[in-house]
Amino acid sequence: MSIRKRLAIISVLPLVVALLGSIYIIRMNALQDYHRNELQFITSVSNDIFDLNFLSDRYLLYREKQVKAQWLLKHDALGKMLAGQHISGRENDNLWHKLSRIHRDMGRILFQLSGTLDNGDASGDVKQLDDREERLSMVLLLKAREMFSTAERIAGAKRHELVAIRQKLNYSIIVLFVMFALVISIISALSSRAIIASIGGLRRGTEIVASGNLDHRLEPRGDDELGQLAMAFNVMTERVKSADTNLRNTISALRQEVEERKRAEENARDLNQQLETAVAALEEEIAEHQQTGDELRNKEHLLVLQSRQATMGEMIGNIAHQWRQPLNLLAIIVQSLPERGERGDLRVEDLRSCSEKSMKIISHMSQTIDDFRNFFRPDKEKIPFKVCDAVSRALSIIEGSFAGSRIKIETNVTGDPVVNGYPNEFSQVLINILLNARDVLVERRVDNPLVTITIETKAGKSAIAIADNGGGIQEEIMDKIFDPYFTTRGPDRGTGVGLFMSKTIIEKNMNGALTARNVGAGAEFRIEV
């Protein structure tokens, strides 16, 4: 059998296993839906029985004809529901028939009671019940309670069945994946064994021929592609042997020519010695320059790591701000479910609504984690990206920190500029500048703190200006803020590499410009790319 056919079998068999597993999962899902529908129907019946209990109590207490009419309507509706539905499971079906029997008994008992109670109502006073009527009233109430408890037993049994089906479905999926992996592993092992044996023989033959034994030949193991490769190897060895003979003859002729050229080489040896001395000196100088360049690159890489590590601490705090409100909402939703269940007004629609709200909140929290993970993923090559997208990504990461400090952010956008560079590093620059602005506004306790971001295109370049109202930068340190390890916050609160690395990223990596100046009530950092 050819290798192509073996690979085709390897490809088809896992698909067959996956198809059979998918059919089984679909059937289990259909069974799960069937039991879920039955549970919803039984829950509806249980609610109606509860209403019938309430009407029975009220009718026996007040003997109102209107309540009796409502009782009869509810009783007839329950009769139709019980007669038009069958519940799966032998025990559940027996309980269902029991419900029907109790339902009929309640109808007969009320009919026996209604004559006496209605006559009392017609005479204008409430007639005192005799012993027989008192017993019938108690039987009616007991039947109503028994009917409600029986419905609850069926509903509870259905809930257990639904949970069992879900567990079975989960276990089936796990078994399916395990079988899928075993089938692939076994088929791959059986198929690769023959292939590896043929390749091993080919490798050993190649080593023997490479050692100089050109008379060695391979024995084809079959008529597949590897067998054809062995025959091709034998043909190649024959050609190599012929070429080796011709080469030896050529070498003999070349030796004579070499002897003649040796004399010419002796004359050029002195000149070569001088050239080698000059080349050695040049290589030494090049090595010194290369070592200096490597040291600079290592220092720059170290600064990048320090900048990212310094930013990581800020990011952890931002995650806490981003997750606090969603966690509060989830707590409110979870706490409301038991309360509504105790009141008895918890419906399937309410559960579905709470589930949808919870999943939206969880999706938002998951997206927050993805945003932080993508921020720390280094870019490998330059790509075109939208400036507005980079700004939005940076704001989504730090907006919780700004909201916690009550700092307002305004964004003014003109056009939709696109630049070619490293989007994650560009976002890191924006975050460094925004976090510096936040620290200044918090430290100086500015009233109505505000950060304004302006995005525009000027003279064919994309320009991003970030301004605050924190009082500006002192003129005596304006020329030092982009120096490495320069900070005004002390060694315990700042590393002094954020603005230095920001300037390096914009100007060296993206061929742009990063400048700072004082404008209005604060400082403005401007990026042009």
Side-chain angles (χ1 to χ4, degrees), residues 21-37 162 165-170 172-173:
S22 300
I23 294 173
Y24 176 77
I25 291 174
I26 291 172
R27 292 187 61 187
M28 290 297 294
N29 282 328
L31 181 60
Q32 182 177 347
D33 292 338
Y34 176 79
H35 281 274
R36 187 183 295 111
N37 293 333
L162 189 58
I165 291 173
R166 289 174 180 169
Q167 292 177 348
K168 185 177 181 181
L169 180 60
N170 293 333
S172 300
I173 293 174

Side-chain angles (χ1 to χ4, degrees), residues 434-451:
L434 289 169
L435 292 179
N436 284 342
R438 181 206 62 185
D439 292 341
V440 169
L441 293 171
V442 173
E443 180 179 328
R444 298 180 181 178
R445 299 180 179 178
V446 177
D447 294 332
N448 300 319
L450 173 66
V451 174

Side-chain angles (χ1 to χ4, degrees), residues 459-474:
K461 291 186 176 182
S462 300
I464 304 93
I466 302 175
D468 60 57
N469 60 345
I473 304 171
Q474 300 177 10

